[in-house]
Amino acid sequence: MRILNILRGRRSATDSVQDDAGWESPRTGAELLATPYRQQLLRAIQESTSLTAPVFEAYVKEPLQRYAERVQLLPASESYHHSYPGGMLDHGLETCVFGLRLRRQHLLPPKESPEKQSSTGELWSVAVIYACLLHDIAKVIVDVDIHLKSGRRWCLWEGIIPDQYRVRYIKGRDYFLHAAANPSCARR
């Protein structure tokens, strides 16, 4: 976390709160996941597991809502894939669907007895979902500055975005830094 604080501290807060253009209001995870496309992705995720409805709700849907609340309408990139408002959330959900398709092709843990594989299979599915969500999460820390209408910067480890916000990409950023920082974020 110390490294991420150092990275965060190197940026200057030059965003003016006087300018009213481009501010987004925070939404709940349920609101963010309510679009038809995201509902389709949620169904695909659920259909890729054999979790009961209550278990899916507790271990998959609720974490997906918390993830949505943290990434809000952030884009996944400035000008590459998913570079639109909400792109980070769509990318995370799409990656979950793809990851679960790959997971179905493997018996996990490898080289274990069929009984062990059967009894832990859905634990692996949930782990794949979490890994897919976290694979790009450091972009929220190292690629963008998120300014609040109140005048301060927000960072991912502070929890849910508390106020109107807007996103500004950091000029001259290292495009591969998020891959190195992801393990630090995942640990937390």
Side-chain angles (χ1 to χ4, degrees), residues 19-103:
D19 181 6
D20 283 335
W23 295 100
E24 295 288 350
S25 293
R27 295 166 173 84
T28 67
E31 290 171 322
L32 291 161
L33 292 172
T35 69
Y37 179 62
R38 292 177 185 150
Q39 286 296 301
Q40 177 185 354
L41 291 170
L42 284 174
R43 279 190 302 278
I45 292 168
Q46 187 167 17
E47 290 168 1
S48 295
T49 72
S50 59
L51 299 170
T52 64
V55 171
F56 183 83
E57 181 76 26
Y59 290 96
V60 178
K61 192 171 181 185
E62 287 179 21
L64 288 173
Q65 287 178 338
R66 287 193 305 272
Y67 176 82
E69 288 172 347
R70 280 160 181 77
V71 300
Q72 289 288 322
L73 293 177
L74 303 177
S77 67
E78 184 174 19
S79 58
Y80 191 51
H81 69 86
H82 299 84
S83 60
Y84 53 85
M88 179 68 91
L89 179 54
D90 289 347
H91 178 57
L93 294 171
E94 291 167 4
T95 303
C96 289
V97 171
F98 182 72
L100 286 169
R101 285 182 188 151
L102 290 175
R103 185 262 172 273

Side-chain angles (χ1 to χ4, degrees), residues 64-179:
L64 288 173
Q65 287 178 338
R66 287 193 305 272
Y67 176 82
E69 288 172 347
R70 280 160 181 77
V71 300
Q72 289 288 322
L73 293 177
L74 303 177
S77 67
E78 184 174 19
S79 58
Y80 191 51
H81 69 86
H82 299 84
S83 60
Y84 53 85
M88 179 68 91
L89 179 54
D90 289 347
H91 178 57
L93 294 171
E94 291 167 4
T95 303
C96 289
V97 171
F98 182 72
L100 286 169
R101 285 182 188 151
L102 290 175
R103 185 262 172 273
R104 281 189 294 189
Q105 298 173 14
H106 301 279
L107 294 173
L108 299 172
K111 300 181 184 174
E112 286 289 338
S113 70
E115 295 80 15
K116 176 82 169 181
Q117 290 172 337
S118 177
S119 69
T120 61
E122 290 310 303
L123 292 173
W124 285 95
S125 295
V126 172
V128 165
I129 291 167
Y130 295 169
C132 289
L133 289 178
L134 295 175
H135 88 280
D136 267 348
I137 197 67
K139 284 183 174 186
V140 177
I141 297 170
V142 300
D143 286 358
V144 296
D145 276 332
I146 299 159
H147 295 272
L148 302 179
K149 186 97 177 201
S150 65
R152 71 176 187 85
R153 271 194 327 253
W154 173 86
C155 202
L156 182 67
W157 56 79
E158 295 176 40
I160 297 170
I161 298 174
D163 190 6
Q164 286 185 312
Y165 66 95
R166 69 176 158 201
V167 178
R168 298 287 186 249
Y169 275 86
I170 298 167
K171 301 295 180 212
R173 68 187 173 279
D174 179 344
Y175 289 92
F176 301 103
L177 184 58
H178 76 274

